[in-house]
Tab-separated table of all heavy atoms in Angstrom:
chain	number	residue	atom	x	y	z
E	136	VAL	N	-15.804	-89.078	88.405
E	136	VAL	CA	-15.919	-87.572	88.236
E	136	VAL	C	-14.650	-86.851	88.629
E	136	VAL	O	-14.102	-87.345	89.661
E	136	VAL	CB	-17.144	-87.068	88.943
E	136	VAL	CG1	-17.325	-85.601	88.706
E	136	VAL	CG2	-18.437	-87.851	88.609
E	137	ALA	N	-14.310	-85.805	87.968
E	137	ALA	CA	-13.120	-84.989	88.414
E	137	ALA	C	-13.555	-83.661	88.841
E	137	ALA	O	-14.392	-82.963	88.159
E	137	ALA	CB	-12.109	-84.917	87.270
E	151	PRO	N	-7.702	-79.076	83.134
E	151	PRO	CA	-8.817	-80.189	83.145
E	151	PRO	C	-8.644	-81.198	82.054
E	151	PRO	O	-9.479	-82.126	82.028
E	151	PRO	CB	-10.093	-79.351	82.957
E	151	PRO	CG	-9.629	-78.188	82.090
E	151	PRO	CD	-8.311	-77.946	82.415
E	155	ALA	N	-10.212	-85.026	81.057
E	155	ALA	CA	-11.034	-85.186	79.807
E	155	ALA	C	-10.390	-86.349	78.979
E	155	ALA	O	-11.155	-87.116	78.324
E	155	ALA	CB	-10.879	-83.930	78.896
E	158	GLY	N	-12.106	-89.444	79.762
E	158	GLY	CA	-13.519	-89.385	79.568
E	158	GLY	C	-14.278	-89.169	80.854
E	158	GLY	O	-15.379	-89.735	81.019
E	159	LEU	N	-13.852	-88.281	81.702
E	159	LEU	CA	-14.514	-87.943	82.871
E	159	LEU	C	-15.218	-86.631	82.772
E	159	LEU	O	-14.735	-85.704	82.214
E	159	LEU	CB	-13.527	-87.739	84.079
E	159	LEU	CG	-12.673	-89.015	84.543
E	159	LEU	CD1	-11.869	-88.673	85.727
E	159	LEU	CD2	-13.614	-90.190	84.756
E	160	PRO	N	-16.413	-86.475	83.379
E	160	PRO	CA	-17.149	-85.168	83.439
E	160	PRO	C	-16.311	-84.382	84.432
E	160	PRO	O	-15.802	-84.909	85.415
E	160	PRO	CB	-18.528	-85.505	83.921
E	160	PRO	CG	-18.359	-86.826	84.612
E	160	PRO	CD	-17.238	-87.604	83.951
E	161	VAL	N	-16.301	-83.067	84.221
E	161	VAL	CA	-15.484	-82.143	85.115
E	161	VAL	C	-16.349	-81.101	85.754
E	161	VAL	O	-17.241	-80.558	85.292
E	161	VAL	CB	-14.400	-81.341	84.170
E	161	VAL	CG1	-13.663	-80.383	84.952
E	161	VAL	CG2	-13.529	-82.412	83.498
E	162	LEU	N	-16.094	-80.959	87.107
E	162	LEU	CA	-16.526	-79.894	87.890
E	162	LEU	C	-15.431	-78.996	88.292
E	162	LEU	O	-14.322	-79.542	88.685
E	162	LEU	CB	-17.280	-80.443	89.143
E	162	LEU	CG	-18.594	-81.258	88.885
E	162	LEU	CD1	-18.985	-81.933	90.105
E	162	LEU	CD2	-19.713	-80.394	88.268
E	163	CYS	N	-15.693	-77.653	88.379
E	163	CYS	CA	-14.551	-76.770	88.926
E	163	CYS	C	-15.220	-75.607	89.448
E	163	CYS	O	-16.478	-75.376	89.291
E	163	CYS	CB	-13.631	-76.396	87.636
E	163	CYS	SG	-14.400	-75.478	86.358
E	173	VAL	N	-9.732	-73.494	77.171
E	173	VAL	CA	-10.060	-74.936	77.455
E	173	VAL	C	-11.379	-75.073	78.233
E	173	VAL	O	-12.284	-75.833	77.847
E	173	VAL	CB	-8.919	-75.643	78.205
E	173	VAL	CG1	-9.401	-76.930	78.667
E	173	VAL	CG2	-7.692	-75.623	77.359
E	174	THR	N	-11.597	-74.185	79.166
E	174	THR	CA	-12.828	-74.262	80.001
E	174	THR	C	-14.030	-73.938	79.136
E	174	THR	O	-15.077	-74.600	79.249
E	174	THR	CB	-12.661	-73.244	81.142
E	174	THR	OG1	-11.688	-73.609	81.979
E	174	THR	CG2	-14.042	-73.269	81.928
E	175	GLN	N	-13.964	-72.970	78.240
E	175	GLN	CA	-15.015	-72.553	77.479
E	175	GLN	C	-15.427	-73.616	76.504
E	175	GLN	O	-16.631	-74.005	76.154
E	175	GLN	CB	-14.731	-71.306	76.682
E	175	GLN	CG	-14.713	-70.023	77.552
E	175	GLN	CD	-14.337	-68.777	76.785
E	175	GLN	OE1	-13.846	-68.841	75.692
E	175	GLN	NE2	-14.496	-67.655	77.482
E	176	ARG	N	-14.427	-74.306	75.912
E	176	ARG	CA	-14.646	-75.398	74.933
E	176	ARG	C	-15.304	-76.558	75.654
E	176	ARG	O	-16.337	-77.134	75.123
E	176	ARG	CB	-13.381	-75.844	74.334
E	176	ARG	CG	-12.738	-74.892	73.306
E	176	ARG	CD	-11.446	-75.308	72.943
E	176	ARG	NE	-10.751	-74.330	72.155
E	176	ARG	CZ	-10.745	-74.248	70.831
E	176	ARG	NH1	-11.460	-75.109	70.114
E	176	ARG	NH2	-10.126	-73.262	70.189
E	177	LEU	N	-14.870	-76.941	76.910
E	177	LEU	CA	-15.487	-78.154	77.594
E	177	LEU	C	-16.872	-77.721	78.083
E	177	LEU	O	-17.899	-78.481	77.960
E	177	LEU	CB	-14.638	-78.480	78.788
E	177	LEU	CG	-13.290	-79.125	78.407
E	177	LEU	CD1	-12.444	-79.199	79.735
E	177	LEU	CD2	-13.566	-80.449	77.869
E	178	GLN	N	-17.037	-76.474	78.468
E	178	GLN	CA	-18.351	-76.004	78.970
E	178	GLN	C	-19.372	-75.937	77.814
E	178	GLN	O	-20.522	-76.436	77.924
E	178	GLN	CB	-18.218	-74.642	79.614
E	178	GLN	CG	-19.345	-74.226	80.461
E	178	GLN	CD	-18.930	-72.999	81.410
E	178	GLN	OE1	-18.254	-72.193	80.858
E	178	GLN	NE2	-19.427	-72.994	82.584
E	179	SER	N	-18.973	-75.435	76.651
E	179	SER	CA	-19.866	-75.455	75.462
E	179	SER	C	-20.307	-76.896	75.008
E	179	SER	O	-21.355	-76.976	74.476
E	179	SER	CB	-19.239	-74.678	74.416
E	179	SER	OG	-18.889	-73.332	74.680
E	180	ALA	N	-19.388	-77.804	75.218
E	180	ALA	CA	-19.688	-79.182	74.876
E	180	ALA	C	-20.564	-79.920	75.898
E	180	ALA	O	-20.999	-80.993	75.644
E	180	ALA	CB	-18.527	-79.909	74.592
E	181	GLY	N	-20.823	-79.240	77.022
E	181	GLY	CA	-21.561	-79.898	78.106
E	181	GLY	C	-20.796	-80.838	78.895
E	181	GLY	O	-21.323	-81.718	79.610
E	182	ALA	N	-19.448	-80.718	78.882
E	182	ALA	CA	-18.569	-81.606	79.602
E	182	ALA	C	-18.138	-81.078	80.911
E	182	ALA	O	-17.606	-81.837	81.712
E	182	ALA	CB	-17.436	-81.974	78.789
E	183	LEU	N	-18.249	-79.832	81.173
E	183	LEU	CA	-17.776	-79.124	82.379
E	183	LEU	C	-18.781	-78.180	82.965
E	183	LEU	O	-19.447	-77.543	82.242
E	183	LEU	CB	-16.458	-78.341	81.956
E	183	LEU	CG	-15.829	-77.451	83.066
E	183	LEU	CD1	-14.298	-77.439	82.857
E	183	LEU	CD2	-16.312	-76.046	83.122
E	184	GLU	N	-18.921	-78.175	84.239
E	184	GLU	CA	-19.771	-77.402	85.007
E	184	GLU	C	-19.059	-76.574	86.095
E	184	GLU	O	-18.230	-77.095	86.752
E	184	GLU	CB	-20.874	-78.176	85.678
E	184	GLU	CG	-21.928	-77.351	86.389
E	184	GLU	CD	-22.973	-78.187	87.174
E	184	GLU	OE1	-22.770	-79.423	87.066
E	184	GLU	OE2	-23.732	-77.602	87.941
E	185	GLN	N	-19.248	-75.286	86.121
E	185	GLN	CA	-18.660	-74.492	87.171
E	185	GLN	C	-19.566	-74.176	88.400
E	185	GLN	O	-20.774	-73.920	88.007
E	185	GLN	CB	-18.238	-73.161	86.580
E	185	GLN	CG	-16.986	-73.245	85.597
E	185	GLN	CD	-16.486	-71.842	85.173
E	185	GLN	OE1	-17.023	-71.348	84.225
E	185	GLN	NE2	-15.439	-71.486	85.748
E	199	LEU	N	-24.073	-86.347	89.022
E	199	LEU	CA	-23.266	-87.173	88.245
E	199	LEU	C	-23.079	-88.653	88.774
E	199	LEU	O	-23.160	-89.627	88.136
E	199	LEU	CB	-21.948	-86.498	87.954
E	199	LEU	CG	-21.973	-85.230	87.112
E	199	LEU	CD1	-20.704	-84.432	87.218
E	199	LEU	CD2	-22.250	-85.565	85.640
E	205	GLU	N	-25.600	-90.061	82.510
E	205	GLU	CA	-25.387	-88.670	82.297
E	205	GLU	C	-23.870	-88.511	82.461
E	205	GLU	O	-23.230	-87.709	81.730
E	205	GLU	CB	-26.094	-87.908	83.255
E	205	GLU	CG	-25.768	-86.331	83.268
E	205	GLU	CD	-26.194	-85.665	81.988
E	205	GLU	OE1	-26.853	-86.302	81.112
E	205	GLU	OE2	-25.835	-84.538	81.775
E	206	ALA	N	-23.139	-89.085	83.505
E	206	ALA	CA	-21.764	-88.896	83.717
E	206	ALA	C	-20.984	-89.323	82.489
E	206	ALA	O	-20.071	-88.699	82.048
E	206	ALA	CB	-21.368	-89.649	84.913
E	208	ARG	N	-22.122	-89.610	79.462
E	208	ARG	CA	-22.461	-88.681	78.331
E	208	ARG	C	-21.487	-87.421	78.381
E	208	ARG	O	-20.872	-87.070	77.377
E	208	ARG	CB	-23.892	-88.300	78.301
E	208	ARG	CG	-24.253	-87.426	77.129
E	208	ARG	CD	-25.676	-86.762	77.245
E	208	ARG	NE	-25.588	-85.705	78.343
E	208	ARG	CZ	-25.133	-84.517	78.177
E	208	ARG	NH1	-24.607	-84.208	77.022
E	208	ARG	NH2	-25.182	-83.629	79.218
E	209	ARG	N	-21.395	-86.880	79.575
E	209	ARG	CA	-20.578	-85.622	79.650
E	209	ARG	C	-19.102	-86.045	79.535
E	209	ARG	O	-18.329	-85.229	78.932
E	209	ARG	CB	-20.787	-85.088	81.084
E	209	ARG	CG	-22.165	-84.443	81.206
E	209	ARG	CD	-22.143	-83.505	82.456
E	209	ARG	NE	-23.467	-83.326	83.041
E	209	ARG	CZ	-23.682	-82.478	84.116
E	209	ARG	NH1	-22.640	-81.901	84.729
E	209	ARG	NH2	-24.908	-82.398	84.603
E	210	GLY	N	-18.682	-87.167	80.024
E	210	GLY	CA	-17.263	-87.652	79.942
E	210	GLY	C	-16.962	-87.857	78.408
E	210	GLY	O	-15.849	-87.518	78.010
E	211	ALA	N	-17.856	-88.500	77.602
E	211	ALA	CA	-17.609	-88.652	76.312
E	211	ALA	C	-17.431	-87.277	75.438
E	211	ALA	O	-16.638	-87.180	74.602
E	211	ALA	CB	-18.711	-89.569	75.676
E	212	ALA	N	-18.263	-86.332	75.933
E	212	ALA	CA	-18.147	-85.025	75.332
E	212	ALA	C	-16.807	-84.402	75.669
E	212	ALA	O	-16.184	-83.697	74.784
E	212	ALA	CB	-19.255	-84.157	75.878
E	213	ALA	N	-16.319	-84.599	76.805
E	213	ALA	CA	-14.993	-84.074	77.266
E	213	ALA	C	-13.927	-84.717	76.341
E	213	ALA	O	-13.042	-84.005	75.833
E	213	ALA	CB	-14.698	-84.375	78.690
E	214	ARG	N	-14.090	-86.050	76.168
E	214	ARG	CA	-13.015	-86.716	75.401
E	214	ARG	C	-13.120	-86.193	73.839
E	214	ARG	O	-12.074	-86.024	73.252
E	214	ARG	CB	-13.232	-88.266	75.324
E	214	ARG	CG	-12.156	-89.056	74.671
E	214	ARG	CD	-12.429	-90.498	74.690
E	214	ARG	NE	-12.394	-91.106	75.968
E	214	ARG	CZ	-13.438	-91.619	76.647
E	214	ARG	NH1	-14.585	-91.625	75.995
E	214	ARG	NH2	-13.232	-92.157	77.747
E	215	ARG	N	-14.271	-85.926	73.347
E	215	ARG	CA	-14.377	-85.449	71.991
E	215	ARG	C	-13.720	-84.018	71.866
E	215	ARG	O	-13.050	-83.770	70.830
E	215	ARG	CB	-15.901	-85.345	71.593
E	215	ARG	CG	-16.493	-86.729	71.294
E	215	ARG	CD	-17.839	-86.584	70.467
E	215	ARG	NE	-18.791	-85.972	71.357
E	215	ARG	CZ	-19.659	-86.556	72.095
E	215	ARG	NH1	-19.552	-87.877	72.324
E	215	ARG	NH2	-20.519	-85.798	72.917
E	216	VAL	N	-13.863	-83.147	72.813
E	216	VAL	CA	-13.208	-81.949	72.744
E	216	VAL	C	-11.736	-82.100	72.630
E	216	VAL	O	-10.980	-81.372	71.945
E	216	VAL	CB	-13.712	-81.039	74.020
E	216	VAL	CG1	-12.711	-79.819	74.040
E	216	VAL	CG2	-15.097	-80.611	73.992
E	217	LEU	N	-11.258	-83.034	73.466
E	217	LEU	CA	-9.773	-83.219	73.535
E	217	LEU	C	-9.214	-83.719	72.172
E	217	LEU	O	-8.364	-83.261	71.583
E	217	LEU	CB	-9.486	-84.296	74.529
E	217	LEU	CG	-7.956	-84.665	74.710
E	217	LEU	CD1	-7.227	-83.526	75.490
E	217	LEU	CD2	-7.785	-85.923	75.443
Side-chain angles (χ1 to χ4, degrees):
V136 181
L159 296 184
V161 176
L162 295 168
C163 63
V173 170
T174 299
Q175 289 177 352
R176 290 173 188 268
L177 290 171
Q178 202 166 30
S179 295
L183 178 148
E184 179 184 356
Q185 289 184 281
L199 292 167
E205 176 64 9
R208 184 192 69 77
R209 293 196 203 179
R214 189 184 291 114
R215 285 194 296 272
V216 170
L217 183 78

